[in-house]
Amino acid sequence: MAWLMYRNRNPAEQQPYDPTKKTLVLLGTGWGSTTVLKNLDTENFNVVVVSPRNYFLFTPLLPSCTVGTIENRSIMEPVRQLARHKQREVTFYEAECTGIDAERKELTLERRTHSDDLQVSNARPPTAPEDVVTLKYDYLVVGVGGTVNTFGTPGVEEHACFLKEMPDARKIRRRLMDAVENAAFDDISEEERDRLLHMVVVGGGPTGIEYAGELHDFLVDDLAQWYPALARRVRITLVEALPNVLPAFDKKLIDYTQSTFSENQITILTRTMVKEVKAKSFVVQNGDGSRTEIPYGLLVWATGIKAQPVVNRIREQLPATQTNARGLLVDEYLRVKGARDIWALGDCALSGYAPLAQVASQQGKWLARRLNAMGSAAAADPATDIFAEFDAARPFKYSSQGSLAYIGSEKAIADLPLFNRNITAGGIATFWFW
């Protein structure tokens, strides 16, 4: 143990860049790309990592950071720390890939050394010409994830908070406390006070459910002590366009979640679609087709994802095979259809699996093993058809490890596979398992 701790703080000397090796570029530092990096044998490649985020983010715990349950840094792992422990030097560029020339095997990068503006919205800040650079590659792994999907709803970009990156969590925390502090002033109307203390979550998937649960705990455990006169007036509303929340979970768990939210006085509006978000209110279309305008103090948008701009650039390079606007179509070997030397994994890849962290992680481990085998084969015999070796391997197959979600009040739900059947559970014991 002492040796491992010493080696972690004092990694061994790394092999330098080798011009005889192929260049492998990893786009992104999410679950897929980071898992590839962790498991990749860098002795066989010159590895370059490109991402506007210079750390890996443990996203399942991001809702906990919005209310201070977990310290932000505890779910962030620096990419350079991972890279420093590889056998060969790994180059990292804090940049966003904005273009690709698949025929010339060349990427266009834009430096993003101040990336908070990029991460908290879909808007791209202006880039100076000197911040645009190009990068050559031999092999490319695309793991850029997705970006927030507003579904074209007016006002979302301007007024809502997202929950996808660490800057989002910090922004939510700031907006939440600002709303409560403003509600503490005596010179405002009771109507305005109620508006400020109305917290809204749009999206009934795991992210929205977990944030609503964390917000409730923050209200009960902290706000009730800090603002006893205001805490009892705080309202939490969750809005979902579908007939029920958590559509991917077992019905018993859905019912248990709704019952728990009811006990915690969290209002759930199902079959309710947000049509517009304004600075102090939002407009919904109810199940009967009528519309209602609802005031709010904080609105968190957690409804889903869409393709990143660079994914669309790759699709434009391969119009004959990339025909789905939701992401990159890949084969059973995670290879981008229409390209022999580009792989995609995680949320940006349309592989037939749900956009989950565990899917991307398993894809990353599988792809790293195949790339290691491909690199070893090329090192042993440069004349080897490495792509034929790759195709001869067993295709990727996802193995579900189940689903977990925290729902507040130290309760969680679990849907776990066991002996060809699913086991469902919910409650305090499940929270400790979570």
Side-chain angles (χ1 to χ4, degrees):
M1 178 63 71
W3 169 252
L4 292 177
M5 293 176 62
Y6 172 81
R7 182 50 70 197
N8 184 61
R9 296 184 63 88
N10 300 276
E13 290 294 323
Q14 294 179 293
Q15 298 177 13
Y17 172 86
D18 186 347
T20 67
K21 303 292 185 181
K22 299 289 188 179
T23 297
L24 171 64
V25 175
L26 303 177
L27 293 184
T29 50
W31 283 90
S33 296
T34 301
T35 304
V36 172
L37 178 61
K38 286 182 176 180
N39 292 274
L40 188 66
D41 182 0
T42 56
E43 185 177 3
N44 296 319
F45 304 98
N46 293 310
V47 179
V48 180
V49 181
V50 177
S51 175
R53 187 180 73 190
N54 65 357
Y55 54 88
F56 165 73
L57 183 66
F58 192 84
T59 49
L61 293 180
L62 190 58
S64 301
C65 294
T66 62
V67 294
T69 304
I70 291 178
E71 165 60 33
N72 294 355
R73 290 177 298 175
S74 66
I75 65 169
M76 302 163 68
E77 185 174 11
V79 173
R80 292 187 182 276
Q81 171 74 4
L82 298 174
R84 182 61 184 85
H85 286 78
K86 303 306 293 185
Q87 192 167 356
R88 185 180 303 282
E89 292 179 354
V90 175
T91 301
F92 173 75
Y93 293 126
E94 189 176 31
E96 182 188 12
C97 180
T98 56
I100 180 174
D101 188 327
E103 186 174 341
R104 297 176 59 188
K105 294 189 176 183
E106 186 175 87
L107 304 174
T108 301
L109 311 181
E110 294 184 7
R111 294 186 178 93
R112 298 295 188 197
T113 52
H114 299 284
S115 55
D116 275 14
D117 291 338
L118 172 67
Q119 295 176 8
V120 296
S121 74
N122 289 329
R124 278 0 186 218
T127 303
E130 62 269 20
D131 286 336
V132 178
V133 296
T134 58
L135 175 66
K136 291 283 189 178
Y137 70 87
D138 295 296
Y139 309 122
L140 178 64
V141 176
V142 184
V144 295
T147 189
V148 177
N149 194 346
T150 66
F151 301 97
T153 307
V156 174
E157 288 277 0
E158 294 81 5
H159 307 298
C161 293
F162 302 135
L163 187 49
K164 190 166 178 58
E165 300 286 350
M166 185 55 71
D168 298 329
R170 291 195 289 263
K171 180 179 179 181
I172 290 172
R173 171 81 173 186
R174 186 171 61 251
R175 287 270 188 96
L176 171 62
M177 295 313 301
D178 285 349
V180 177
E181 290 292 355
N182 285 328
F185 279 89
D186 295 328
D187 61 344
I188 63 172
S189 67
E190 294 305 307
E191 182 181 14
E192 174 65 4
R193 201 182 319 276
D194 286 336
R195 178 192 72 79
L196 288 167
L197 296 177
H198 185 203
M199 313 305 171
V200 178
V201 183
V202 180
T207 301
I209 290 292
E210 290 188 335
Y211 175 67
E214 291 283 1
L215 185 55
H216 167 267
D217 290 355
F218 182 59
L219 167 64
V220 173
D221 298 337
D222 295 320
L223 291 185
Q225 297 182 37
W226 303 342
Y227 311 89
L230 296 178
R232 66 177 67 97
R233 297 180 63 167
V234 174
R235 294 179 297 133
I236 304 173
T237 300
L238 187 141
V239 181
E240 171 56 52
L242 297 177
N244 53 259
V245 298
L246 298 173
F249 281 73
D250 185 271
K251 187 179 185 304
K252 291 185 292 185
L253 297 179
I254 295 174
D255 293 340
Y256 180 76
T257 300
Q258 293 176 334
S259 174
T260 300
F261 272 29
S262 178
E263 293 174 5
N264 293 339
Q265 298 182 325
I266 299 175
T267 303
I268 299 179
L269 302 179
T270 55
R271 303 179 189 274
T272 304
M273 185 178 299
V274 177
K275 305 302 290 185
E276 182 181 2
V277 178
K278 302 179 181 179
K280 297 183 179 182
S281 64
F282 65 106
V283 179
V284 299
Q285 179 174 299
N286 304 304
D288 60 4
S290 63
R291 294 198 175 192
T292 307
E293 186 164 346
I294 304 172
Y296 72 89
L298 168 71
L299 188 146
V300 176
W301 189 272
T303 60
I305 59 174
K306 66 179 181 180
Q308 292 274 15
V310 66
V311 170
N312 294 327
R313 300 292 86 75
I314 296 173
R315 290 180 52 250
E316 291 169 1
Q317 294 278 306
L318 307 166
T321 53
Q322 295 299 321
T323 56
N324 194 317
R326 293 188 298 112
L328 294 172
L329 293 168
V330 297
D331 61 19
E332 63 270 29
Y333 298 98
L334 304 182
R335 187 165 45 212
V336 173
K337 293 184 177 180
R340 200 180 190 197
D341 44 21
I342 304 177
W343 295 266
L345 70 173
D347 294 355
C348 67
L350 302 179
S351 57
Y353 301 109
L356 301 173
Q358 59 176 299
V359 172
S361 180
Q362 291 184 29
Q363 288 175 333
K365 289 180 180 178
W366 181 91
L367 183 57
R369 288 196 300 269
R370 298 318 318 152
L371 290 172
N372 289 341
M374 188 175 78
S376 297
D381 182 5
T384 302
D385 186 345
I386 55 175
F387 292 106
E389 295 280 336
F390 200 98
D391 293 343
R394 182 178 300 177
F396 170 76
K397 185 176 182 181
Y398 168 60
S399 175
S400 175
Q401 305 301 305
S403 300
L404 294 163
Y406 180 65
I407 61 175
S409 297
E410 296 188 346
K411 296 179 181 179
I413 56 174
D415 194 347
L416 306 172
L418 184 65
F419 301 120
N420 296 321
R421 54 177 299 215
N422 274 28
I423 302 297
T424 59
I428 295 177
T430 309
F431 164 70
W432 289 108
F433 177 77
W434 173 83

